[in-house]
Amino acid sequence: MYTEQKDNRLKPLKIHCPELEISTEPAVLESHGCDWTRFRTPDATAVVFPHNSDEVAKLVVLARAHQIPLVPSGGRTGLSGGAIADAGEVVVSFDRMRRIIGFNPVDRTLTVEPGVVTQAIQDYANQQNLYYPVSFASEGSSQIGGNIATNAGGIRVLRYGLTRDQVVGLKVIDGRGELIECNSGLVKNASGYDLRHLFIGSEGTLGLIVEATLRLTDPPQPSRVMLLAVSSLDGMMTVFRQFNDAMNLTAFEFLSGAAMSYVRSGHDLPAPMDTETPYYALLEFDCPDTDTEDLALQRFEFCLEDGSVLDGVISQSEAQAADLWRYREGISEAITKYTPYKNDLSVRISEIPGYLRDLDELAQSRYPDFEVLWYGHFGDGNLHMNILKPADMPVEEFESVCGRVNPDVFELTREHNGSISAEHGIGLLKQAYLSYSRSEQDIERMRGIKAVFDPANILNPGKLLG
Ligand code: MLT
Ligand code: ZN
Protein backbone atom coordinates (compact mmCIF):
# COMPACT_ATOMS: atom_id res chain seq x y z
CA MET A 1 0.00 0.00 0.00
CA TYR A 2 1.17 3.54 -0.77
CA THR A 3 2.95 5.47 1.97
CA GLU A 4 0.51 8.36 1.62
CA GLN A 5 -2.49 6.15 2.40
CA LYS A 6 -0.64 4.70 5.37
CA ASP A 7 0.16 8.23 6.60
CA ASN A 8 -3.54 9.06 6.42
CA ARG A 9 -4.21 6.16 8.75
CA LEU A 10 -1.34 6.85 11.11
CA LYS A 11 -1.82 10.59 11.57
CA PRO A 12 -5.20 10.51 13.33
CA LEU A 13 -3.87 7.86 15.73
CA LYS A 14 -0.87 9.99 16.65
CA ILE A 15 -2.91 13.17 17.00
CA HIS A 16 -5.94 11.85 18.86
CA CYS A 17 -4.41 8.96 20.82
CA PRO A 18 -1.00 10.39 21.85
CA GLU A 19 -0.82 8.05 24.84
CA LEU A 20 -1.18 4.94 22.64
CA GLU A 21 1.99 2.85 22.16
CA ILE A 22 2.53 2.68 18.39
CA SER A 23 5.28 0.96 16.44
CA THR A 24 6.19 1.37 12.79
CA GLU A 25 9.47 -0.49 13.10
CA PRO A 26 9.83 -2.70 10.00
CA ALA A 27 10.68 -5.78 12.10
CA VAL A 28 7.57 -5.27 14.27
CA LEU A 29 5.35 -4.66 11.22
CA GLU A 30 6.61 -7.89 9.75
CA SER A 31 6.38 -10.05 12.88
CA HIS A 32 2.95 -8.71 13.91
CA GLY A 33 1.47 -8.54 10.42
CA CYS A 34 1.15 -12.27 9.94
CA ASP A 35 0.32 -15.57 11.59
CA TRP A 36 1.87 -19.01 11.06
CA THR A 37 0.65 -19.21 7.46
CA ARG A 38 3.19 -18.27 4.82
CA PHE A 39 0.97 -17.42 1.86
CA ARG A 40 0.75 -13.61 2.21
CA THR A 41 3.29 -10.82 2.63
CA PRO A 42 2.62 -8.61 5.67
CA ASP A 43 2.05 -4.95 4.87
CA ALA A 44 0.70 -3.25 8.00
CA THR A 45 0.61 0.51 8.54
CA ALA A 46 1.42 0.25 12.24
CA VAL A 47 1.15 -2.01 15.25
CA VAL A 48 -0.54 -0.54 18.31
CA PHE A 49 -0.17 -1.95 21.81
CA PRO A 50 -3.08 -0.85 24.02
CA HIS A 51 -2.54 -1.26 27.76
CA ASN A 52 -6.17 -1.42 28.86
CA SER A 53 -9.74 -1.58 27.60
CA ASP A 54 -10.20 2.20 27.66
CA GLU A 55 -7.38 2.56 25.17
CA VAL A 56 -8.94 -0.16 23.01
CA ALA A 57 -12.31 1.63 23.07
CA LYS A 58 -10.77 4.99 22.18
CA LEU A 59 -8.81 3.40 19.35
CA VAL A 60 -11.91 1.78 17.88
CA VAL A 61 -13.94 5.00 18.03
CA LEU A 62 -11.17 6.78 16.19
CA ALA A 63 -10.75 3.96 13.67
CA ARG A 64 -14.45 4.09 12.94
CA ALA A 65 -14.40 7.86 12.43
CA HIS A 66 -11.40 7.67 10.08
CA GLN A 67 -12.14 4.32 8.38
CA ILE A 68 -8.96 2.70 9.68
CA PRO A 69 -9.10 -1.10 9.33
CA LEU A 70 -7.96 -2.92 12.48
CA VAL A 71 -6.53 -6.44 12.66
CA PRO A 72 -6.59 -7.97 16.16
CA SER A 73 -3.46 -9.93 16.92
CA GLY A 74 -2.67 -12.40 19.70
CA GLY A 75 0.11 -15.01 19.68
CA ARG A 76 -0.13 -15.16 15.85
CA THR A 77 -0.15 -18.95 15.80
CA GLY A 78 -3.28 -19.09 13.61
CA LEU A 79 -3.36 -21.24 10.51
CA SER A 80 -5.99 -19.54 8.36
CA GLY A 81 -4.60 -16.04 7.92
CA GLY A 82 -7.06 -14.50 10.41
CA ALA A 83 -4.35 -12.25 11.88
CA ILE A 84 -2.70 -11.23 8.61
CA ALA A 85 -2.39 -7.52 7.84
CA ASP A 86 -1.43 -7.30 4.16
CA ALA A 87 -3.42 -4.25 3.06
CA GLY A 88 -2.11 -1.42 5.21
CA GLU A 89 -4.24 -2.26 8.26
CA VAL A 90 -3.39 -1.23 11.80
CA VAL A 91 -2.59 -4.29 13.89
CA VAL A 92 -3.95 -4.28 17.45
CA SER A 93 -1.61 -6.38 19.54
CA PHE A 94 -2.64 -7.53 23.00
CA ASP A 95 0.96 -8.13 24.11
CA ARG A 96 0.61 -5.41 26.80
CA MET A 97 -2.65 -6.79 28.20
CA ARG A 98 -1.34 -9.90 29.93
CA ARG A 99 -2.68 -9.52 33.46
CA ILE A 100 -4.30 -12.32 35.38
CA ILE A 101 -7.08 -10.26 36.93
CA GLY A 102 -8.44 -12.64 39.50
CA PHE A 103 -9.14 -16.20 40.61
CA ASN A 104 -12.37 -17.11 42.35
CA PRO A 105 -11.93 -20.39 44.25
CA VAL A 106 -15.64 -20.80 44.99
CA ASP A 107 -16.77 -20.29 41.41
CA ARG A 108 -13.56 -21.92 40.15
CA THR A 109 -13.12 -19.20 37.58
CA LEU A 110 -10.12 -17.28 36.35
CA THR A 111 -10.46 -13.78 34.90
CA VAL A 112 -7.74 -12.69 32.51
CA GLU A 113 -6.76 -10.09 29.97
CA PRO A 114 -6.67 -11.25 26.33
CA GLY A 115 -2.89 -11.33 25.95
CA VAL A 116 -2.34 -14.03 28.58
CA VAL A 117 -0.63 -17.02 26.98
CA THR A 118 -2.68 -20.25 26.99
CA GLN A 119 0.02 -22.17 28.83
CA ALA A 120 0.15 -19.51 31.57
CA ILE A 121 -3.55 -20.17 32.15
CA GLN A 122 -2.93 -23.92 32.35
CA ASP A 123 -0.04 -23.32 34.78
CA TYR A 124 -2.08 -20.97 36.94
CA ALA A 125 -4.91 -23.51 37.11
CA ASN A 126 -2.44 -26.25 38.10
CA GLN A 127 -1.13 -24.07 40.93
CA GLN A 128 -4.70 -23.94 42.28
CA ASN A 129 -5.01 -27.73 41.96
CA LEU A 130 -7.40 -27.19 39.10
CA TYR A 131 -7.22 -27.68 35.34
CA TYR A 132 -7.67 -25.64 32.19
CA PRO A 133 -8.27 -28.38 29.63
CA VAL A 134 -7.85 -26.72 26.23
CA SER A 135 -4.51 -27.91 24.89
CA PHE A 136 -2.71 -27.84 21.54
CA ALA A 137 0.83 -27.74 20.18
CA SER A 138 1.08 -23.91 20.03
CA GLU A 139 -0.19 -23.34 23.60
CA GLY A 140 3.22 -21.98 24.65
CA SER A 141 2.77 -18.87 22.51
CA SER A 142 -0.92 -18.56 21.59
CA GLN A 143 -2.96 -16.04 23.59
CA ILE A 144 -6.35 -16.59 25.18
CA GLY A 145 -7.96 -13.70 23.27
CA GLY A 146 -7.04 -15.40 20.00
CA ASN A 147 -8.17 -18.79 21.34
CA ILE A 148 -11.57 -17.31 22.09
CA ALA A 149 -11.81 -15.38 18.82
CA THR A 150 -11.17 -18.61 16.90
CA ASN A 151 -12.85 -21.00 19.35
CA ALA A 152 -9.66 -23.04 19.54
CA GLY A 153 -10.00 -26.82 19.84
CA GLY A 154 -6.96 -29.08 20.08
CA ILE A 155 -6.40 -32.55 21.46
CA ARG A 156 -8.84 -32.93 24.37
CA VAL A 157 -12.07 -31.73 22.77
CA LEU A 158 -13.70 -35.16 22.96
CA ARG A 159 -13.58 -34.98 26.76
CA TYR A 160 -13.73 -31.28 27.64
CA GLY A 161 -15.13 -29.50 24.59
CA LEU A 162 -13.82 -26.42 22.80
CA THR A 163 -12.65 -23.04 24.11
CA ARG A 164 -16.31 -21.99 23.82
CA ASP A 165 -17.18 -24.45 26.57
CA GLN A 166 -14.74 -22.88 29.02
CA VAL A 167 -15.78 -19.22 28.65
CA VAL A 168 -18.27 -18.08 31.29
CA GLY A 169 -17.79 -14.35 30.94
CA LEU A 170 -16.54 -11.99 28.28
CA LYS A 171 -15.92 -8.27 27.89
CA VAL A 172 -15.65 -7.02 24.36
CA ILE A 173 -15.23 -3.65 22.64
CA ASP A 174 -17.40 -3.79 19.55
CA GLY A 175 -16.87 -1.94 16.26
CA ARG A 176 -18.66 1.14 17.63
CA GLY A 177 -16.22 1.35 20.53
CA GLU A 178 -18.85 0.20 23.04
CA LEU A 179 -18.00 -2.11 25.91
CA ILE A 180 -20.24 -5.18 25.89
CA GLU A 181 -20.28 -7.37 29.00
CA CYS A 182 -21.47 -10.92 28.47
CA ASN A 183 -22.69 -13.38 31.09
CA SER A 184 -20.58 -12.20 34.10
CA GLY A 185 -19.33 -15.70 34.97
CA LEU A 186 -22.81 -17.12 35.52
CA VAL A 187 -23.45 -20.85 35.27
CA LYS A 188 -27.12 -20.33 34.43
CA ASN A 189 -28.42 -17.35 32.57
CA ALA A 190 -31.68 -17.67 30.65
CA SER A 191 -32.15 -13.97 29.98
CA GLY A 192 -32.25 -14.06 26.21
CA TYR A 193 -29.68 -14.20 23.43
CA ASP A 194 -26.25 -15.21 24.70
CA LEU A 195 -24.06 -12.67 22.90
CA ARG A 196 -20.95 -14.29 24.37
CA HIS A 197 -21.30 -17.13 21.90
CA LEU A 198 -21.54 -14.74 18.96
CA PHE A 199 -18.16 -13.25 19.79
CA ILE A 200 -16.53 -16.64 20.39
CA GLY A 201 -15.32 -17.87 17.01
CA SER A 202 -16.10 -14.58 15.25
CA GLU A 203 -12.41 -14.19 14.33
CA GLY A 204 -12.22 -10.58 15.51
CA THR A 205 -14.87 -9.41 13.05
CA LEU A 206 -17.46 -8.37 15.67
CA GLY A 207 -15.41 -7.08 18.58
CA LEU A 208 -12.07 -7.00 20.35
CA ILE A 209 -11.95 -9.18 23.46
CA VAL A 210 -10.59 -7.21 26.43
CA GLU A 211 -11.34 -9.61 29.29
CA ALA A 212 -12.41 -13.23 29.69
CA THR A 213 -13.59 -15.31 32.61
CA LEU A 214 -12.80 -19.00 32.23
CA ARG A 215 -14.18 -22.01 33.98
CA LEU A 216 -11.56 -24.28 35.55
CA THR A 217 -12.23 -27.91 36.24
CA ASP A 218 -10.99 -30.83 38.36
CA PRO A 219 -7.48 -32.01 37.59
CA PRO A 220 -7.47 -35.12 35.41
CA GLN A 221 -6.98 -38.58 36.86
CA PRO A 222 -3.71 -40.41 36.28
CA SER A 223 -3.68 -41.39 32.65
CA ARG A 224 -1.92 -43.62 30.16
CA VAL A 225 -1.01 -42.99 26.55
CA MET A 226 -1.04 -45.72 23.90
CA LEU A 227 0.39 -45.50 20.41
CA LEU A 228 -1.04 -48.17 18.15
CA ALA A 229 -0.06 -49.27 14.66
CA VAL A 230 -3.41 -49.59 12.87
CA SER A 231 -3.86 -51.64 9.71
CA SER A 232 -6.59 -49.62 7.93
CA LEU A 233 -9.17 -46.86 8.30
CA ASP A 234 -11.86 -49.35 9.19
CA GLY A 235 -9.42 -50.73 11.73
CA MET A 236 -9.10 -47.21 13.16
CA MET A 237 -12.85 -47.09 13.67
CA THR A 238 -12.78 -50.49 15.41
CA VAL A 239 -10.04 -49.26 17.73
CA PHE A 240 -11.97 -46.06 18.46
CA ARG A 241 -15.13 -47.95 19.31
CA GLN A 242 -13.38 -50.55 21.42
CA PHE A 243 -11.61 -47.96 23.53
CA ASN A 244 -14.31 -45.31 23.56
CA ASP A 245 -16.87 -47.83 24.84
CA ALA A 246 -14.61 -49.20 27.57
CA MET A 247 -12.38 -46.35 28.71
CA ASN A 248 -12.70 -42.70 29.67
CA LEU A 249 -10.79 -41.29 26.73
CA THR A 250 -9.21 -37.85 27.02
CA ALA A 251 -7.78 -37.95 23.49
CA PHE A 252 -7.99 -40.09 20.38
CA GLU A 253 -5.65 -38.77 17.70
CA PHE A 254 -4.44 -40.24 14.44
CA LEU A 255 -1.57 -39.81 12.00
CA SER A 256 -0.73 -41.38 8.69
CA GLY A 257 2.43 -43.39 8.09
CA ALA A 258 3.82 -40.47 6.02
CA ALA A 259 3.13 -38.03 8.88
CA MET A 260 4.98 -40.44 11.18
CA SER A 261 8.02 -40.39 8.85
CA TYR A 262 8.10 -36.58 8.75
CA VAL A 263 7.71 -36.12 12.50
CA ARG A 264 10.45 -38.66 13.15
CA SER A 265 12.93 -37.12 10.74
CA GLY A 266 11.98 -33.54 11.73
CA HIS A 267 12.59 -34.15 15.44
CA ASP A 268 15.05 -37.02 15.17
CA LEU A 269 12.72 -39.42 16.99
CA PRO A 270 13.33 -43.17 17.16
CA ALA A 271 10.87 -45.65 15.65
CA PRO A 272 8.16 -46.02 18.30
CA MET A 273 7.78 -49.75 17.51
CA ASP A 274 9.01 -52.32 14.99
CA THR A 275 5.92 -52.39 12.80
CA GLU A 276 5.20 -49.70 10.19
CA THR A 277 1.57 -49.15 9.20
CA PRO A 278 -0.47 -46.75 7.04
CA TYR A 279 -2.06 -45.26 10.18
CA TYR A 280 -1.29 -44.77 13.83
CA ALA A 281 -3.70 -44.04 16.67
CA LEU A 282 -2.63 -42.15 19.75
CA LEU A 283 -4.96 -42.60 22.70
CA GLU A 284 -4.96 -41.08 26.15
CA PHE A 285 -7.32 -42.39 28.82
CA ASP A 286 -7.91 -42.18 32.55
CA CYS A 287 -6.08 -45.04 34.24
CA PRO A 288 -6.39 -44.69 38.01
CA ASP A 289 -5.79 -48.38 38.87
CA THR A 290 -4.57 -51.74 37.57
CA ASP A 291 -8.12 -52.92 36.77
CA THR A 292 -8.45 -50.08 34.27
CA GLU A 293 -5.07 -50.89 32.81
CA ASP A 294 -6.13 -54.55 32.44
CA LEU A 295 -9.26 -53.43 30.65
CA ALA A 296 -7.19 -51.34 28.22
CA LEU A 297 -4.91 -54.30 27.57
CA GLN A 298 -7.94 -56.55 26.94
CA ARG A 299 -9.19 -54.10 24.32
CA PHE A 300 -5.73 -53.99 22.80
CA GLU A 301 -5.67 -57.82 22.59
CA PHE A 302 -9.10 -57.81 20.95
CA CYS A 303 -7.89 -55.35 18.30
CA LEU A 304 -4.74 -57.39 17.74
CA GLU A 305 -6.76 -60.56 17.24
CA ASP A 306 -9.21 -59.03 14.80
CA GLY A 307 -6.33 -57.52 12.81
CA SER A 308 -7.18 -53.86 13.27
CA VAL A 309 -4.05 -53.31 15.34
CA LEU A 310 -0.67 -54.76 14.41
CA ASP A 311 1.50 -53.45 17.21
CA GLY A 312 1.47 -50.93 20.03
CA VAL A 313 3.14 -49.34 23.03
CA ILE A 314 1.70 -48.07 26.30
CA SER A 315 3.30 -45.44 28.53
CA GLN A 316 4.57 -46.53 31.94
CA SER A 317 5.43 -43.08 33.22
CA GLU A 318 4.63 -39.42 32.59
CA ALA A 319 7.93 -39.03 30.75
CA GLN A 320 7.02 -41.90 28.41
CA ALA A 321 3.58 -40.42 27.87
CA ALA A 322 5.17 -37.11 26.88
CA ASP A 323 7.54 -38.95 24.51
CA LEU A 324 4.62 -40.68 22.80
CA TRP A 325 2.73 -37.38 22.44
CA ARG A 326 5.69 -35.97 20.50
CA TYR A 327 4.84 -38.23 17.55
CA ARG A 328 1.56 -36.38 17.22
CA GLU A 329 2.21 -32.92 18.64
CA GLY A 330 5.50 -32.50 16.77
CA ILE A 331 4.07 -32.95 13.27
CA SER A 332 3.00 -29.38 12.59
CA GLU A 333 6.39 -27.93 13.48
CA ALA A 334 8.26 -30.70 11.64
CA ILE A 335 6.51 -29.90 8.34
CA THR A 336 6.56 -26.09 8.58
CA LYS A 337 9.63 -25.92 6.34
CA TYR A 338 7.59 -27.53 3.53
CA THR A 339 5.11 -24.58 3.56
CA PRO A 340 2.15 -26.96 3.94
CA TYR A 341 -1.16 -25.97 2.42
CA LYS A 342 -3.61 -26.87 5.17
CA ASN A 343 -7.18 -27.97 4.93
CA ASP A 344 -8.78 -28.34 8.35
CA LEU A 345 -11.83 -30.49 7.76
CA SER A 346 -14.48 -32.06 9.93
CA VAL A 347 -17.20 -34.66 9.57
CA ARG A 348 -19.17 -36.71 12.05
CA ILE A 349 -16.95 -39.39 13.57
CA SER A 350 -18.96 -42.19 11.97
CA GLU A 351 -18.31 -40.63 8.53
CA ILE A 352 -14.53 -40.50 8.83
CA PRO A 353 -13.47 -43.76 7.12
CA GLY A 354 -15.67 -43.26 4.01
CA TYR A 355 -14.85 -39.56 3.79
CA LEU A 356 -11.12 -40.03 4.24
CA ARG A 357 -11.03 -42.82 1.67
CA ASP A 358 -12.82 -40.59 -0.88
CA LEU A 359 -10.57 -37.66 -0.03
CA ASP A 360 -7.40 -39.69 -0.27
CA GLU A 361 -8.46 -40.96 -3.71
CA LEU A 362 -9.19 -37.40 -4.78
CA ALA A 363 -5.85 -36.18 -3.45
CA GLN A 364 -3.96 -38.94 -5.25
CA SER A 365 -5.63 -38.21 -8.58
CA ARG A 366 -5.56 -34.39 -8.33
CA TYR A 367 -2.25 -33.93 -6.53
CA PRO A 368 -0.21 -36.71 -8.17
CA ASP A 369 3.02 -34.73 -7.76
CA PHE A 370 2.45 -33.52 -4.21
CA GLU A 371 2.87 -35.33 -0.95
CA VAL A 372 -0.28 -35.26 1.18
CA LEU A 373 -0.08 -35.93 4.92
CA TRP A 374 -3.01 -36.78 7.15
CA TYR A 375 -3.29 -36.35 10.88
CA GLY A 376 -5.81 -34.97 13.27
CA HIS A 377 -8.29 -35.39 16.03
CA PHE A 378 -10.11 -38.58 15.03
CA GLY A 379 -12.09 -38.60 18.28
CA ASP A 380 -13.92 -35.38 17.38
CA GLY A 381 -14.07 -35.85 13.59
CA ASN A 382 -11.35 -33.30 12.73
CA LEU A 383 -8.95 -34.24 9.92
CA HIS A 384 -5.94 -32.13 8.98
CA MET A 385 -5.02 -32.51 5.30
CA ASN A 386 -1.54 -31.09 4.68
CA ILE A 387 -0.19 -30.76 1.15
CA LEU A 388 3.57 -30.24 1.10
CA LYS A 389 5.10 -27.73 -1.30
CA PRO A 390 7.73 -29.16 -3.65
CA ALA A 391 11.02 -27.35 -2.89
CA ASP A 392 11.37 -25.88 -6.37
CA MET A 393 7.82 -24.52 -6.71
CA PRO A 394 7.15 -20.82 -5.94
CA VAL A 395 4.68 -20.27 -3.08
CA GLU A 396 2.19 -18.36 -5.30
CA GLU A 397 2.06 -21.16 -7.85
CA PHE A 398 1.68 -23.78 -5.11
CA GLU A 399 -1.22 -21.89 -3.51
CA SER A 400 -2.92 -21.48 -6.83
CA VAL A 401 -2.62 -25.20 -7.69
CA CYS A 402 -4.01 -26.15 -4.26
CA GLY A 403 -6.77 -23.58 -4.73
CA ARG A 404 -7.83 -25.26 -7.99
CA VAL A 405 -8.38 -28.57 -6.20
CA ASN A 406 -10.12 -27.01 -3.18
CA PRO A 407 -13.59 -26.89 -4.79
CA ASP A 408 -13.50 -30.68 -5.23
CA VAL A 409 -12.24 -31.22 -1.67
CA PHE A 410 -14.93 -28.96 -0.27
CA GLU A 411 -17.69 -30.37 -2.48
CA LEU A 412 -16.84 -33.82 -1.14
CA THR A 413 -16.88 -32.38 2.38
CA ARG A 414 -20.33 -30.94 1.72
CA GLU A 415 -21.55 -34.32 0.42
CA HIS A 416 -20.43 -35.84 3.72
CA ASN A 417 -22.21 -33.03 5.64
CA GLY A 418 -18.89 -31.78 6.96
CA SER A 419 -17.25 -28.43 7.52
CA ILE A 420 -14.40 -26.79 5.58
CA SER A 421 -12.97 -25.53 8.87
CA ALA A 422 -13.09 -27.53 12.07
CA GLU A 423 -10.87 -25.46 14.36
CA HIS A 424 -8.47 -23.23 12.40
CA GLY A 425 -11.17 -20.79 11.26
CA ILE A 426 -12.01 -19.27 7.89
CA GLY A 427 -9.75 -16.22 8.15
CA LEU A 428 -8.37 -14.94 4.88
CA LEU A 429 -7.27 -18.18 3.28
CA LYS A 430 -10.60 -19.99 3.33
CA GLN A 431 -12.83 -16.94 2.90
CA ALA A 432 -13.59 -17.65 -0.76
CA TYR A 433 -14.90 -21.10 0.16
CA LEU A 434 -17.27 -20.22 2.99
CA SER A 435 -20.30 -21.10 0.87
CA TYR A 436 -19.29 -24.76 0.89
CA SER A 437 -20.16 -24.89 4.57
CA ARG A 438 -22.74 -22.14 5.01
CA SER A 439 -25.81 -21.37 2.94
CA GLU A 440 -26.30 -18.04 1.17
CA GLN A 441 -28.99 -17.22 3.69
CA ASP A 442 -26.67 -18.02 6.60
CA ILE A 443 -23.97 -15.77 5.15
CA GLU A 444 -26.55 -12.96 4.78
CA ARG A 445 -27.61 -13.49 8.41
CA MET A 446 -23.96 -13.28 9.49
CA ARG A 447 -23.54 -10.06 7.50
CA GLY A 448 -26.58 -8.67 9.32
CA ILE A 449 -25.02 -9.49 12.67
CA LYS A 450 -21.73 -7.94 11.56
CA ALA A 451 -23.55 -4.72 10.63
CA VAL A 452 -25.03 -4.47 14.14
CA PHE A 453 -21.71 -4.73 15.95
CA ASP A 454 -19.36 -3.26 13.35
CA PRO A 455 -21.37 -0.94 11.11
CA ALA A 456 -18.30 0.71 9.57
CA ASN A 457 -16.61 -2.64 8.81
CA ILE A 458 -13.35 -1.74 10.49
CA LEU A 459 -12.84 -4.96 12.47
CA ASN A 460 -10.74 -7.49 10.58
CA PRO A 461 -12.25 -6.58 7.20
CA GLY A 462 -11.74 -9.16 4.47
CA LYS A 463 -11.65 -12.05 6.93
CA LEU A 464 -14.41 -14.61 7.41
CA LEU A 465 -17.20 -12.79 5.53
CA GLY A 466 -14.91 -11.03 3.03
C1 MLT B 1 -2.69 -29.82 15.04
O1 MLT B 1 -3.67 -30.51 15.29
O2 MLT B 1 -1.53 -30.28 15.05
C2 MLT B 1 -2.89 -28.36 14.80
O3 MLT B 1 -4.20 -28.08 14.46
C3 MLT B 1 -1.90 -27.75 13.87
C4 MLT B 1 -1.93 -28.26 12.47
O4 MLT B 1 -2.98 -28.62 11.97
O5 MLT B 1 -0.89 -28.29 11.84
ZN1 ZN C 1 -5.54 -29.63 15.16
Side-chain angles (χ1 to χ4, degrees), residues 151-182:
N151 189 22
I155 54 177
R156 299 211 166 82
V157 171
L158 90 169
R159 167 68 75 83
Y160 298 100
L162 297 144
T163 299
R164 179 184 301 289
D165 303 296
Q166 326 305 327
V167 178
V168 289
L170 211 53
K171 289 188 187 171
V172 177
I173 304 289
D174 76 359
R176 300 163 303 175
E178 285 182 15
L179 175 69
I180 302 182
E181 299 197 37
C182 308

Side-chain angles (χ1 to χ4, degrees), residues 153-158 162 240 252-253 345-349 352 376-383 422-423:
I155 54 177
R156 299 211 166 82
V157 171
L158 90 169
L162 297 144
F240 177 68
F252 191 102
E253 301 280 305
L345 309 158
S346 79
V347 288
R348 288 165 53 166
I349 302 165
I352 295 179
H377 317 285
F378 191 100
D380 60 35
N382 182 181
L383 311 175
E423 61 174 5

Side-chain angles (χ1 to χ4, degrees), residues 241-284:
R241 291 201 59 186
Q242 283 299 318
F243 281 87
N244 197 33
D245 288 351
M247 321 294 301
N248 278 326
L249 288 176
T250 42
F252 191 102
E253 301 280 305
F254 92 110
L255 55 149
S256 64
M260 175 61 92
S261 303
Y262 275 92
V263 74
R264 280 190 54 206
S265 60
H267 296 286
D268 208 9
L269 301 176
M273 58 193 96
D274 292 338
T275 318
E276 289 192 9
T277 41
Y279 297 102
Y280 294 83
L282 188 143
L283 299 67
E284 185 186 74

Side-chain angles (χ1 to χ4, degrees), residues 14-147:
K14 288 195 164 162
I15 294 170
H16 300 289
C17 296
E19 69 288 358
L20 193 62
E21 187 181 332
I22 302 177
S23 175
T24 52
E25 286 286 316
V28 177
L29 295 183
E30 191 172 335
S31 63
H32 285 65
C34 64
D35 58 11
W36 273 5
T37 56
R38 289 291 170 264
F39 292 99
R40 296 288 186 279
T41 310
D43 186 21
T45 290
V47 183
V48 298
F49 296 91
H51 287 239
N52 53 53
S53 63
D54 288 345
E55 285 189 6
V56 176
K58 197 170 167 194
L59 167 71
V60 172
V61 169
L62 194 74
R64 184 181 176 192
H66 294 267
Q67 271 301 316
I68 303 169
L70 301 176
V71 174
S73 165
R76 304 183 304 282
T77 57
L79 294 167
S80 69
I84 288 176
D86 65 348
E89 299 94 331
V90 169
V91 174
V92 186
S93 164
F94 290 94
D95 287 357
R96 307 284 184 268
M97 292 178 69
R98 290 177 182 256
R99 270 189 322 134
I100 294 207
I101 295 169
F103 168 62
N104 186 320
V106 178
D107 300 329
R108 293 177 149 197
T109 57
L110 185 62
T111 299
V112 294
E113 287 189 327
V116 177
V117 168
T118 316
Q119 199 168 46
I121 291 173
Q122 296 165 345
D123 291 346
Y124 190 97
N126 292 345
Q127 284 156 20
Q128 311 304 322
N129 285 325
L130 290 169
Y131 187 56
Y132 181 69
V134 178
S135 176
F136 39 80
S138 60
E139 65 198 18
S141 42
S142 80
Q143 297 178 3
I144 190 67
N147 296 176

